[in-house]
Amino acid sequence: MTTTTSDQANIESPPMDFGDLKSQCVAPRPSIMGRRRSLSGILWLSAKGILRGLLTTLSYFRRPSTVVTQQYPENRDTLQMFERYRGRLSLIHNEDGEHGCTGCQICERLCPNGSIIVTKDKKNEATGKPALDQFIWRQDTCTFCNICVLVCPFDTLEMTGDFESSVYDRRLLVFNLNEYAGPTADQLEKLGDEELAKAQMKPMKKYQGPVPMCGGELDGIPKLDTGKSDDA
Amino acid sequence: MAQALMNLISAPLLAQAGRAAAGAAPSMERARTVSDRAADALQYSIWAAVLYIAIGLVAVLVVVSVLGLVMSYIERKVAGHFQCRLGPMRVGPHGILQSLADGIKLLFKEGIEPGHGDKVIFIGAPIFSITATILLLAIVPVAPGIQVVDMNVGVVYIAAVSGIGVMGILMGGWSSDNKWSLLGAMRAGAQMISYEISLTIAILVVVMFSGTLRVSEIIESQQQGWWIWRGHGVAIVAFCLYLIASTAELNRTPFDLPEGESELTGGYHTEYSGLRFSFFFLAEFANLFVFSALATTFFLGGWLPFHIGDYEAFNRVMDILPPVISPLFWFGTKCTVLIFVLMWFRWTFPRLRMDQLMRLEWKVLLPFGFANLILAATVVLTGLYFFPTAT
Ligand code: SF4
Ligand code: SF4
């Protein structure tokens, strides 16, 4: 970012929208790095910055309600997480419940800690082509780095705002994300015939939809060692 | 234990010093501290001395635990106000039972020791940490006579003993068999040892002004006015240096790199749980009080009310409180304000980076501290401060 006037003290960001609360962030940018200043100048700037910060928080201290803080358990019904919030990973499904994942396994290969396992239907019964079978996501090891979302060439992954995921057993944090196995929404659309398309959609029999798999054993997923038998 | 030892060692010295002072100038008689009383009692019966030592020990322990409870509550409330968080409102009316609930929770938690850690050092580290705090608390002058020990080398003692806290943290991080802990401990070592220099240099300014190392005498020397305004610019700079350095000594934001929970998942106390963890926190909160109390002692006149030189009328108004309450009131108020300021810092400033931290100390604070020390020396020699005749 190039600033033409180095004395420009503040760069004001556009107002941000926090649900029904409005706020504006003013980022102080004293140009200490920009040009040479005398020692007293730097001291003065630092003191000014420190005092300003202290005064800001003091004003919050006197009127806490002006702080942009969401009162979480109370606002559970109206809570909206931000667009960029990285909560639970999810396959994007259209209104018919179709996804766009081709099962190319790029996300699986690029996930830094192996939290994704994409298994493929070698030959889809209807189309005779390979298609996605299961999209397994292990939240227990995911670092929410967002790489999988960025690398997917078909833009079919997203991070949802769902963050309430505490459970007592970490086996409950292994998810199957696809609601059906089979061709992508694109391919289904090309068929034209809706009935034919429906016929090609192969519903997942086991663990259908974005549900935790309750520690069930699946191909490619080593069973978690919990130290006790899991009859549950 | 350490406290008792301390008393035993220092009591005869103190008694001697006290007698010498009394012989030289009877008007300058100091209020008798717990250790003085113990030393006197020793002449009649060893049990009386033991009783006094026990009283001192119990008092300090009570103070530590009460401070832990109260400070953590205040910290939560202050943070809650700064950030509009209702967390500390839920347990009891206005959350007053929060600290208690925390304490009970910590009691019931399992004390885990890392498998390959160094067990002895691991268990010893929190005790070390809290011992340093207790040793420091012993010299905090709350009011005339309400002080466990008042030795003639008080300032040196403070500088020496406050270093033990680093040992506790280093031991904890080293013995945890955890890289985060080790990193946190290394940071703590580097940080606390560095900032201790600035801390001591800031205190030395006051020592120069008052001409004594004994904390009670430092307070007495501020009868005519607190050093922070009597020493004008020099003292204010020293006070700022002290505040910054003590924030770093306390490992509080913006200098909380040893914990750095967002990059070190808890730093030196990552592996600690339950009571051992709470020991570290007790020490931290009690230290918060100790450092505020020492700042009060050195710069804000300790238990003395606000006086301006010889303006009798004004001073009389300031002395209006009865002599029993007055020291406690003034000391308490000043301490509370300073504690609030430190908490205010914590919830305002973002954490520094390690290199920034070191640069601040070695390239900014230290040169400023030395320059300020030299300036202070000139000020003292030329008597350029207010009411120089008073000392
Ligand atoms: S967010 Fe990162 S760690 Fe998590 S599944 Fe995606 S690539 Fe893997
Ligand atoms: S989510 Fe995207 S990257 Fe991953 S397998 Fe499906 S299409 Fe490929």
Side-chain angles (χ1 to χ4, degrees):
Chain A
M1 187 162 51
T2 56
T3 42
T4 43
T5 53
S6 59
D7 273 346
Q8 190 177 4
N10 303 308
I11 293 172
E12 303 211 341
S13 70
M16 279 193 279
D17 194 357
F18 294 100
D20 36 347
L21 291 157
K22 288 272 186 296
S23 116
Q24 190 166 32
C25 281
V26 180
R29 283 180 183 274
S31 47
I32 292 180
M33 315 303 285
R35 60 188 162 106
R36 289 186 73 82
R37 282 178 183 275
S38 61
L39 184 65
S40 55
I42 291 177
L43 274 184
W44 170 239
L45 262 184
S46 321
K48 219 168 65 175
I50 287 172
L51 274 182
R52 223 172 112 184
L54 287 175
L55 287 180
T56 308
T57 41
L58 189 66
S59 75
Y60 285 147
F61 184 77
R62 288 188 293 122
R63 288 167 282 114
S65 57
T66 52
V67 188
V68 187
T69 305
Q70 304 212 2
Q71 303 302 336
Y72 160 56
E74 282 87 8
N75 71 349
R76 207 191 220 121
D77 298 333
T78 55
L79 182 69
Q80 277 189 334
M81 289 312 282
F82 314 110
E83 206 181 307
R84 284 165 57 191
Y85 187 84
R86 295 178 193 170
R88 182 168 290 168
L89 185 69
S90 153
L91 272 177
I92 299 172
H93 287 89
N94 66 13
E95 60 274 17
D96 296 329
E98 302 159 355
H99 61 71
C101 175
T102 61
C104 69
Q105 292 174 327
I106 289 178
C107 52
E108 177 182 333
R109 256 173 280 143
L110 286 173
C111 172
N113 37 25
S115 297
I116 293 176
I117 294 134
V118 175
T119 58
K120 284 214 287 195
D121 216 357
K122 283 273 157 43
K123 217 170 172 196
N124 185 271
E125 281 163 19
T127 55
K129 287 179 188 157
L132 177 70
D133 183 19
Q134 278 176 327
F135 192 104
I136 314 292
W137 174 59
R138 299 188 53 166
Q139 188 175 19
D140 56 342
T141 58
C142 176
T143 59
F144 304 94
C145 67
N146 210 32
I147 287 180
C148 49
V149 175
L150 294 176
V151 296
C152 175
F154 303 96
D155 285 337
T156 182
L157 284 174
E158 68 171 347
M159 288 287 192
T160 61
D162 185 359
F163 63 92
E164 292 173 318
S165 49
S166 44
V167 283
Y168 281 106
D169 189 333
R170 119 188 142 92
R171 290 170 300 175
L172 296 178
L173 293 175
V174 181
F175 291 90
N176 187 4
L177 297 186
N178 56 332
E179 281 163 19
Y180 81 98
T184 64
D186 275 354
Q187 288 169 344
L188 293 175
E189 203 178 325
K190 270 186 210 139
L191 290 173
D193 186 354
E194 207 164 299
E195 286 306 308
L196 196 59
K198 277 275 177 298
Q200 301 211 344
M201 284 172 69
K202 190 167 88 178
M204 301 282 307
K205 282 180 218 78
K206 214 176 171 194
Y207 312 120
Q208 179 175 359
V211 289
M213 306 201 303
C214 302
E217 258 178 301
L218 286 163
D219 284 350
I221 296 195
K223 206 161 165 223
L224 295 174
D225 178 21
T226 56
K228 55 182 176 194
S229 64
D230 48 358
D231 315 312
Chain B
M1 183 58 206
Q3 180 55 44
L5 264 178
M6 263 285 317
N7 279 342
L8 278 178
I9 295 166
S10 58
L13 281 175
L14 277 164
Q16 210 176 13
R19 254 173 266 131
S27 60
M28 282 285 286
E29 198 180 336
R30 291 182 296 107
R32 280 141 45 87
T33 61
V34 177
S35 66
D36 290 345
R37 284 170 206 275
D40 289 352
L42 201 55
Q43 293 167 348
Y44 310 111
S45 144
I46 186 143
W47 295 112
V50 169
L51 181 71
Y52 274 116
I53 290 170
I55 288 175
L57 195 60
V58 168
V60 168
L61 287 181
V62 167
V63 166
V64 168
S65 38
V66 169
L67 276 179
L69 283 183
V70 174
M71 289 285 192
S72 61
Y73 176 66
I74 298 175
E75 178 99 300
R76 278 164 189 276
K77 290 308 269 188
V78 169
H81 268 263
F82 273 134
Q83 304 182 340
C84 188
R85 300 192 304 196
L86 296 185
M89 290 290 283
R90 301 202 190 279
V91 192
H94 275 265
I96 46 172
L97 298 181
Q98 180 70 56
S99 309
L100 229 83
D102 278 344
I104 292 170
K105 182 192 78 178
L106 284 171
L107 268 178
F108 280 111
K109 279 203 168 177
E110 188 186 354
I112 300 167
E113 291 156 23
H116 297 280
D118 195 330
K119 295 256 160 41
V120 179
I121 301 184
F122 185 79
I123 295 169
I127 300 170
F128 233 76
S129 213
I130 205 143
T131 305
T133 309
I134 290 176
L135 288 179
L136 268 179
L137 260 178
I139 204 164
V140 168
V142 178
I146 307 186
Q147 184 181 6
V148 176
V149 54
D150 182 22
M151 61 190 78
N152 53 352
V153 286
V155 174
V156 180
Y157 171 80
I158 290 166
V161 166
S162 63
I164 296 179
V166 195
M167 276 304 294
I169 291 178
L170 273 177
M171 282 162 63
W174 175 261
S175 61
S176 286
D177 186 34
N178 177 330
K179 283 174 187 141
W180 283 313
S181 299
L182 187 61
L183 273 177
M186 290 302 132
R187 284 176 170 193
Q191 167 182 333
M192 293 171 82
I193 291 171
S194 309
Y195 277 80
E196 200 148 306
I197 306 173
S198 284
L199 192 77
T200 313
I201 285 177
I203 298 176
L204 278 184
V205 170
V206 174
V207 172
M208 248 195 276
F209 271 120
S210 57
T212 173
L213 289 170
R214 190 192 289 273
V215 280
S216 64
E217 279 173 17
I218 289 179
I219 293 178
E220 290 302 326
S221 72
Q222 303 179 59
Q223 274 295 357
Q224 309 283 315
W226 307 345
W227 284 122
I228 189 157
W229 65 269
R230 241 168 94 202
H232 37 82
V234 187
I236 290 171
V237 172
F239 182 67
C240 292
L241 287 178
Y242 180 93
L243 263 193
I244 297 172
S246 62
T247 316
E249 281 286 289
L250 290 166
N251 292 329
R252 291 174 70 79
T253 330
F255 306 113
D256 61 341
L257 288 145
E259 292 168 33
E261 70 280 348
S262 47
E263 67 255 29
L264 291 179
T265 67
Y268 64 90
H269 56 60
T270 306
E271 296 289 349
Y272 282 89
S273 60
L275 267 187
R276 296 198 188 116
F277 171 78
S278 68
F279 263 42
F280 274 124
F281 261 67
L282 264 183
E284 198 178 309
F285 280 122
N287 269 338
L288 181 60
F289 167 77
V290 168
F291 277 89
S292 312
L294 291 179
T296 307
T297 305
F298 292 136
F299 297 97
L300 303 179
W303 62 68
L304 293 173
F306 188 76
H307 279 177
I308 300 181
D310 307 321
Y311 297 102
E312 281 301 325
F314 181 80
N315 292 351
R316 203 108 26 83
V317 173
M318 284 291 147
D319 286 336
I320 206 154
L321 282 171
V324 182
I325 302 177
S326 168
L328 290 178
F329 167 78
W330 283 99
F331 179 81
T333 314
K334 294 171 198 173
C335 246
T336 314
V337 169
L338 279 180
I339 289 171
F340 176 75
V341 168
L342 286 178
M343 290 186 176
W344 188 5
F345 284 170
R346 173 162 188 176
W347 300 106
T348 301
F349 299 126
R351 185 178 297 144
L352 292 184
R353 224 170 44 216
M354 193 61 197
D355 60 318
Q356 293 170 332
L357 180 94
M358 282 314 193
R359 201 177 61 191
L360 179 69
E361 162 61 16
W362 294 101
K363 288 187 167 176
V364 181
L365 292 191
L366 202 58
F368 266 91
F370 274 123
N372 193 46
L373 198 63
I374 294 167
L375 251 178
T378 5
V379 168
V380 172
L381 284 178
T382 51
L384 270 176
Y385 54 98
F386 301 129
F387 316 118
T389 48
T391 38

Short mmCIF file of all heavy atoms in Angstrom, two decimals, chain B residues 67-98:
data_model
loop_
_atom_site.label_atom_id
_atom_site.label_comp_id
_atom_site.label_asym_id
_atom_site.label_seq_id
_atom_site.Cartn_x
_atom_site.Cartn_y
_atom_site.Cartn_z
N LEU B 67 -5.32 -12.56 48.46
CA LEU B 67 -4.99 -11.81 47.26
C LEU B 67 -5.34 -12.61 46.02
O LEU B 67 -5.89 -12.08 45.05
CB LEU B 67 -3.50 -11.49 47.24
CG LEU B 67 -3.05 -10.27 48.01
CD1 LEU B 67 -1.55 -10.12 47.90
CD2 LEU B 67 -3.74 -9.04 47.49
N GLY B 68 -5.03 -13.91 46.05
CA GLY B 68 -5.34 -14.75 44.90
C GLY B 68 -6.82 -14.70 44.56
O GLY B 68 -7.21 -14.50 43.41
N LEU B 69 -7.65 -14.84 45.60
CA LEU B 69 -9.10 -14.83 45.37
C LEU B 69 -9.57 -13.46 44.87
O LEU B 69 -10.23 -13.35 43.84
CB LEU B 69 -9.84 -15.16 46.67
CG LEU B 69 -9.87 -16.61 47.12
CD1 LEU B 69 -10.69 -16.74 48.38
CD2 LEU B 69 -10.45 -17.47 46.03
N VAL B 70 -9.17 -12.43 45.62
CA VAL B 70 -9.70 -11.10 45.32
C VAL B 70 -9.20 -10.60 43.97
O VAL B 70 -9.95 -10.11 43.14
CB VAL B 70 -9.31 -10.12 46.44
CG1 VAL B 70 -9.72 -8.72 46.09
CG2 VAL B 70 -9.95 -10.55 47.74
N MET B 71 -7.90 -10.79 43.73
CA MET B 71 -7.32 -10.27 42.49
C MET B 71 -7.92 -10.96 41.27
O MET B 71 -8.19 -10.30 40.27
CB MET B 71 -5.82 -10.50 42.47
CG MET B 71 -5.09 -9.64 43.43
SD MET B 71 -5.02 -7.98 42.82
CE MET B 71 -3.83 -7.33 43.93
N SER B 72 -8.11 -12.26 41.35
CA SER B 72 -8.64 -12.92 40.16
C SER B 72 -10.06 -12.44 39.91
O SER B 72 -10.49 -12.30 38.77
CB SER B 72 -8.58 -14.43 40.30
OG SER B 72 -9.35 -14.86 41.38
N TYR B 73 -10.79 -12.16 41.00
CA TYR B 73 -12.14 -11.62 40.82
C TYR B 73 -12.08 -10.23 40.19
O TYR B 73 -12.79 -9.95 39.22
CB TYR B 73 -12.87 -11.57 42.17
CG TYR B 73 -14.23 -10.94 42.07
CD1 TYR B 73 -15.23 -11.58 41.35
CD2 TYR B 73 -14.51 -9.72 42.67
CE1 TYR B 73 -16.48 -11.01 41.24
CE2 TYR B 73 -15.75 -9.14 42.56
CZ TYR B 73 -16.73 -9.79 41.85
OH TYR B 73 -17.97 -9.22 41.71
N ILE B 74 -11.22 -9.38 40.74
CA ILE B 74 -11.14 -8.02 40.20
C ILE B 74 -10.70 -8.06 38.73
O ILE B 74 -11.24 -7.35 37.88
CB ILE B 74 -10.14 -7.18 41.03
CG1 ILE B 74 -10.64 -7.06 42.46
CG2 ILE B 74 -9.99 -5.81 40.43
CD1 ILE B 74 -9.68 -6.34 43.37
N GLU B 75 -9.72 -8.91 38.46
CA GLU B 75 -9.23 -8.99 37.07
C GLU B 75 -10.37 -9.37 36.13
O GLU B 75 -10.53 -8.80 35.05
CB GLU B 75 -8.12 -10.03 36.99
CG GLU B 75 -7.57 -10.24 35.59
CD GLU B 75 -6.29 -9.49 35.36
OE1 GLU B 75 -6.33 -8.26 35.48
OE2 GLU B 75 -5.27 -10.11 35.06
N ARG B 76 -11.18 -10.34 36.55
CA ARG B 76 -12.30 -10.74 35.71
C ARG B 76 -13.28 -9.60 35.51
O ARG B 76 -13.80 -9.38 34.42
CB ARG B 76 -13.04 -11.90 36.35
CG ARG B 76 -12.42 -13.23 36.10
CD ARG B 76 -12.99 -14.20 37.09
NE ARG B 76 -12.29 -15.46 37.05
CZ ARG B 76 -12.56 -16.42 36.18
NH1 ARG B 76 -13.50 -16.24 35.29
NH2 ARG B 76 -11.89 -17.54 36.21
N LYS B 77 -13.55 -8.90 36.60
CA LYS B 77 -14.53 -7.81 36.50
C LYS B 77 -14.00 -6.70 35.59
O LYS B 77 -14.73 -6.17 34.75
CB LYS B 77 -14.85 -7.25 37.89
CG LYS B 77 -15.64 -8.17 38.75
CD LYS B 77 -16.88 -8.68 38.07
CE LYS B 77 -18.07 -7.81 38.32
NZ LYS B 77 -19.31 -8.44 37.80
N VAL B 78 -12.73 -6.36 35.80
CA VAL B 78 -12.16 -5.28 34.98
C VAL B 78 -12.17 -5.68 33.51
O VAL B 78 -12.61 -4.92 32.64
CB VAL B 78 -10.71 -4.97 35.45
CG1 VAL B 78 -10.02 -4.07 34.47
CG2 VAL B 78 -10.74 -4.33 36.82
N ALA B 79 -11.76 -6.92 33.25
CA ALA B 79 -11.75 -7.38 31.86
C ALA B 79 -13.17 -7.41 31.32
O ALA B 79 -13.43 -7.04 30.17
CB ALA B 79 -11.13 -8.77 31.78
N GLY B 80 -14.10 -7.84 32.16
CA GLY B 80 -15.49 -7.90 31.73
C GLY B 80 -16.01 -6.53 31.33
O GLY B 80 -16.70 -6.38 30.33
N HIS B 81 -15.62 -5.51 32.10
CA HIS B 81 -16.06 -4.16 31.77
C HIS B 81 -15.39 -3.66 30.51
O HIS B 81 -16.03 -3.04 29.67
CB HIS B 81 -15.75 -3.21 32.93
CG HIS B 81 -16.88 -3.10 33.90
ND1 HIS B 81 -17.78 -2.07 33.85
CD2 HIS B 81 -17.28 -3.90 34.89
CE1 HIS B 81 -18.68 -2.24 34.80
NE2 HIS B 81 -18.39 -3.35 35.45
N PHE B 82 -14.09 -3.94 30.40
CA PHE B 82 -13.38 -3.44 29.22
C PHE B 82 -13.92 -4.05 27.94
O PHE B 82 -13.93 -3.43 26.91
CB PHE B 82 -11.89 -3.76 29.34
CG PHE B 82 -11.11 -2.72 30.08
CD1 PHE B 82 -10.21 -3.07 31.05
CD2 PHE B 82 -11.30 -1.39 29.79
CE1 PHE B 82 -9.49 -2.11 31.74
CE2 PHE B 82 -10.59 -0.42 30.48
CZ PHE B 82 -9.69 -0.78 31.46
N GLN B 83 -14.31 -5.30 28.02
CA GLN B 83 -14.68 -5.99 26.79
C GLN B 83 -16.13 -6.41 26.75
O GLN B 83 -16.53 -7.18 25.88
CB GLN B 83 -13.79 -7.22 26.62
CG GLN B 83 -12.33 -6.84 26.65
CD GLN B 83 -11.42 -8.00 26.44
OE1 GLN B 83 -11.82 -9.14 26.63
NE2 GLN B 83 -10.20 -7.73 26.05
N CYS B 84 -16.92 -5.91 27.71
CA CYS B 84 -18.34 -6.23 27.77
C CYS B 84 -18.56 -7.74 27.72
O CYS B 84 -19.26 -8.26 26.86
CB CYS B 84 -19.10 -5.55 26.64
SG CYS B 84 -20.88 -5.72 26.82
N ARG B 85 -17.92 -8.42 28.62
CA ARG B 85 -18.12 -9.86 28.71
C ARG B 85 -18.86 -10.16 30.00
O ARG B 85 -18.47 -9.67 31.05
CB ARG B 85 -16.78 -10.59 28.68
CG ARG B 85 -16.01 -10.30 27.42
CD ARG B 85 -14.85 -11.22 27.27
NE ARG B 85 -13.97 -11.17 28.42
CZ ARG B 85 -12.74 -11.65 28.39
NH1 ARG B 85 -12.28 -12.18 27.29
NH2 ARG B 85 -11.98 -11.59 29.45
N LEU B 86 -19.89 -10.96 29.89
CA LEU B 86 -20.71 -11.23 31.07
C LEU B 86 -20.21 -12.44 31.84
O LEU B 86 -20.86 -12.88 32.77
CB LEU B 86 -22.15 -11.45 30.66
CG LEU B 86 -22.82 -10.23 30.04
CD1 LEU B 86 -24.28 -10.51 29.77
CD2 LEU B 86 -22.71 -9.04 30.95
N GLY B 87 -19.07 -12.98 31.46
CA GLY B 87 -18.53 -14.17 32.13
C GLY B 87 -18.58 -14.08 33.64
O GLY B 87 -19.23 -14.90 34.29
N PRO B 88 -17.95 -13.06 34.24
CA PRO B 88 -17.94 -13.01 35.70
C PRO B 88 -19.23 -12.46 36.29
O PRO B 88 -19.20 -11.81 37.32
CB PRO B 88 -16.77 -12.07 36.00
CG PRO B 88 -16.61 -11.25 34.79
CD PRO B 88 -17.09 -12.05 33.64
N MET B 89 -20.35 -12.70 35.68
CA MET B 89 -21.63 -12.27 36.26
C MET B 89 -22.48 -13.47 36.64
O MET B 89 -23.57 -13.32 37.15
CB MET B 89 -22.41 -11.43 35.25
CG MET B 89 -21.83 -10.08 34.97
SD MET B 89 -22.01 -8.99 36.37
CE MET B 89 -23.73 -8.55 36.21
N ARG B 90 -22.00 -14.65 36.34
CA ARG B 90 -22.92 -15.78 36.37
C ARG B 90 -22.91 -16.55 37.68
O ARG B 90 -23.90 -17.16 38.04
CB ARG B 90 -22.60 -16.74 35.22
CG ARG B 90 -22.71 -16.05 33.88
CD ARG B 90 -22.93 -17.03 32.77
NE ARG B 90 -22.80 -16.40 31.48
CZ ARG B 90 -23.74 -15.70 30.90
NH1 ARG B 90 -24.90 -15.54 31.49
NH2 ARG B 90 -23.54 -15.15 29.72
N VAL B 91 -21.76 -16.60 38.37
CA VAL B 91 -21.71 -17.38 39.61
C VAL B 91 -21.95 -16.44 40.79
O VAL B 91 -21.10 -15.64 41.12
CB VAL B 91 -20.35 -18.07 39.77
CG1 VAL B 91 -20.41 -19.08 40.89
CG2 VAL B 91 -19.95 -18.74 38.47
N GLY B 92 -23.10 -16.55 41.40
CA GLY B 92 -23.42 -15.69 42.52
C GLY B 92 -23.78 -14.29 42.04
O GLY B 92 -23.58 -13.97 40.87
N PRO B 93 -24.30 -13.45 42.95
CA PRO B 93 -24.66 -12.09 42.54
C PRO B 93 -23.42 -11.33 42.10
O PRO B 93 -22.43 -11.26 42.83
CB PRO B 93 -25.26 -11.48 43.82
CG PRO B 93 -24.83 -12.37 44.93
CD PRO B 93 -24.61 -13.72 44.36
N HIS B 94 -23.45 -10.78 40.93
CA HIS B 94 -22.31 -10.08 40.31
C HIS B 94 -21.05 -10.95 40.29
O HIS B 94 -19.94 -10.44 40.30
CB HIS B 94 -22.03 -8.75 41.01
CG HIS B 94 -22.88 -7.65 40.47
ND1 HIS B 94 -22.47 -6.81 39.48
CD2 HIS B 94 -24.14 -7.30 40.76
CE1 HIS B 94 -23.44 -5.97 39.18
NE2 HIS B 94 -24.47 -6.25 39.94
N GLY B 95 -21.26 -12.25 40.29
CA GLY B 95 -20.11 -13.14 40.13
C GLY B 95 -19.18 -13.22 41.31
O GLY B 95 -18.04 -13.64 41.16
N ILE B 96 -19.65 -12.85 42.51
CA ILE B 96 -18.70 -12.82 43.62
C ILE B 96 -18.26 -14.20 44.04
O ILE B 96 -17.29 -14.35 44.75
CB ILE B 96 -19.24 -12.05 44.85
CG1 ILE B 96 -20.67 -12.47 45.16
CG2 ILE B 96 -19.13 -10.57 44.68
CD1 ILE B 96 -21.17 -11.91 46.45
N LEU B 97 -18.99 -15.22 43.64
CA LEU B 97 -18.57 -16.57 44.01
C LEU B 97 -17.65 -17.20 42.96
O LEU B 97 -17.24 -18.34 43.09
CB LEU B 97 -19.79 -17.46 44.22
CG LEU B 97 -20.73 -17.01 45.33
CD1 LEU B 97 -21.89 -17.95 45.47
CD2 LEU B 97 -19.97 -16.92 46.64
N GLN B 98 -17.35 -16.42 41.93
CA GLN B 98 -16.57 -16.97 40.82
C GLN B 98 -15.21 -17.49 41.26
O GLN B 98 -14.82 -18.61 40.94
CB GLN B 98 -16.39 -15.88 39.75
CG GLN B 98 -15.60 -16.31 38.55
CD GLN B 98 -16.36 -17.30 37.71
OE1 GLN B 98 -17.46 -17.04 37.27
NE2 GLN B 98 -15.77 -18.47 37.50
#
